[in-house]
Amino acid sequence: MPTNRSVWQDQPGQPGTIRESEAPSTLDARHVLVKVHAWAVNPCDAMLQDRALPIVKYPVILGQDVAGTVEAVGSIAAGKFQAGDKVFGFSINNGFQEYVLLDHTLTGKMPPGLSFSEASVFGLCVSTSAYSLFSPDYLALPLPSLEHTSVGKSLLVWGGSSSVGSNAIQLAKGAGLEVVTTCSSRSFDYVKSLGADKVFDYNSPTVIDDVAAELDKGTCAGIYLAAGKVSEACKVSAKSKQKLFVSSSNPVMPGDCPEGVVAKMAYGTGGPDGFKPALPATFGGYLIEALHTGVYKVAPPPQVVATKGVEGIQDALDELKKGISAKKLVIEAQ
């Protein structure tokens, strides 16, 4: 078996350590073994590097987003993939290594013309946003389709220029909703290019009142906090006459919700099967179809760091911690 190089996080608060081992030789029936050609980093990767959470046991290999070529497949995965396929996928805290085992349900074939760097931006963010939008336990929106028609409702995506927000806007438009979103003024054109119908500057002192008034012009399906402060999204709900449910990609803390407002963090538990409600919108249907037909855009676009290979992963995490908007940091293999 070839040598596999992985970035291990031995404990929070320190840089990752690269170690060598043999690439996986035994595959579960559901597994796809992928030789990675590009990794993308997410804010949760940086957070888990710096802060201990009870859901993570150290030492651990972090990383969620990968794109590469299939090396081997398990018996069930063989119904969808074969060696040599170009794929992208969502690895649940196991992605920062050269050879990655993906569950076949969280893996998709890359459309022609898409680079590995472009394909690597989707995994976590599209799965996270779809889980919030379409799971019956959260916003329970109608599933997206290529033949979508308007459902006569709006959705607020707070933080639309973020990685998660960029996907939430596109998924909601595919589901037939009018999308109201917030971002900084410099990202207005970007979120509109993804399909946002109304955009507000979240730095405006009147943004809460302005957004609530916009939502109350019609029927709103709810609020999705893609990025930013949960308390801000909850204030919009409190101002709205509709007292909208807030589904959040960030933890909801005591004091975030005014009286009468319900907010809940969307978190897929139970491994790959925990994301089943999102699969028709992501790797099990709409995302793959929309990418292959050109309806779905690569968003946010990749920004490739200078250092290649797993050595570049720490560089990307360090750069991410300084702040980035409307881009996703990507590392290409050597």
Side-chain angles (χ1 to χ4, degrees):
M1 296 301 294
T3 299
N4 186 28
R5 301 168 71 232
S6 309
V7 181
W8 283 87
Q9 194 66 40
D10 292 328
Q11 57 184 333
Q14 63 183 33
T17 300
I18 298 173
R19 297 194 178 97
E20 295 185 355
S21 62
E22 285 189 353
S25 58
T26 302
L27 276 66
D28 181 272
R30 297 170 53 137
H31 279 160
V32 181
L33 178 63
V34 176
K35 181 178 181 181
V36 180
H37 294 285
W39 303 264
V41 296
N42 293 285
C44 68
D45 301 320
M47 179 183 69
L48 291 173
Q49 182 169 77
D50 290 344
R51 190 191 321 168
L53 293 179
I55 58 174
V56 178
K57 182 179 179 181
Y58 296 85
V60 65
I61 298 172
L62 300 176
Q64 324 284 336
D65 296 346
V66 299
T69 53
V70 174
E71 293 284 302
V73 294
S75 57
I76 294 176
K80 292 174 58 181
F81 303 103
Q82 62 182 4
D85 284 345
K86 294 181 178 181
V87 298
F88 65 106
F90 173 27
S91 171
I92 304 174
N93 275 342
N94 198 43
F96 289 160
Q97 46 187 334
E98 293 174 334
Y99 290 86
V100 174
L101 289 172
L102 296 176
D103 189 275
H104 74 101
T105 65
L106 300 178
T107 308
K109 289 184 181 180
M110 291 169 46
L114 204 67
S115 70
F116 289 115
S117 294
E118 290 171 324
S120 71
V121 306
F122 292 111
L124 172 67
C125 294
V126 73
S127 299
T128 298
S129 55
Y131 189 74
S132 248
L133 297 184
F134 306 114
S135 170
D137 293 331
Y138 296 95
L139 289 166
L141 302 181
L143 289 168
S145 72
L146 297 181
E147 298 81 25
H148 68 270
T149 56
S150 173
V151 298
K153 295 181 180 181
S154 65
L155 174 77
L156 171 61
V157 177
W158 190 277
S161 64
S162 66
S163 296
V164 175
S166 297
N167 286 277
I169 290 171
Q170 296 190 81
L171 290 171
K173 291 300 294 183
L177 284 95
E178 179 181 86
V179 176
V180 179
T181 193
T182 65
C183 60
S184 65
S185 57
R186 67 177 180 274
S187 297
F188 277 18
D189 289 342
Y190 168 68
V191 295
K192 288 178 180 178
S193 75
L194 300 178
D197 298 285
K198 302 287 177 59
V199 188
F200 294 85
D201 185 350
Y202 54 44
N203 293 311
S204 168
T206 62
V207 65
I208 303 296
D209 291 335
D210 295 343
V211 171
E214 179 63 36
L215 299 180
D216 284 343
K217 290 178 180 178
T219 302
C220 182
I223 298 173
Y224 179 44
L225 188 286
K229 296 179 180 179
V230 178
S231 59
E232 298 295 286
C234 290
K235 288 176 183 176
V236 173
S237 175
K239 284 282 185 179
S240 167
K241 299 174 184 177
Q242 303 174 71
K243 295 296 182 287
L244 302 162
F245 171 70
V246 179
S247 182
S248 174
S249 56
N250 291 336
V252 179
M253 306 302 290
D256 280 340
C257 298
E259 185 176 353
V261 175
V262 177
K264 184 179 176 183
M265 181 182 181
Y267 186 75
T269 58
D273 285 338
F275 287 89
K276 274 186 177 180
L279 291 181
T282 58
F283 296 102
Y286 176 73
L287 173 68
I288 306 302
E289 296 169 356
L291 282 173
H292 277 265
T293 57
V295 172
Y296 206 96
K297 295 186 178 182
V298 176
Q303 179 175 312
V304 179
V305 300
T307 307
K308 294 185 180 294
V310 290
E311 288 83 1
I313 290 173
Q314 188 60 55
D315 289 353
L317 288 170
D318 291 341
E319 189 170 343
L320 177 64
K321 293 171 188 178
K322 297 175 184 176
I324 188 169
S325 177
K327 297 283 186 181
K328 190 148 186 180
L329 293 174
V330 169
I331 309 95
E332 295 180 339
Q334 293 177 334

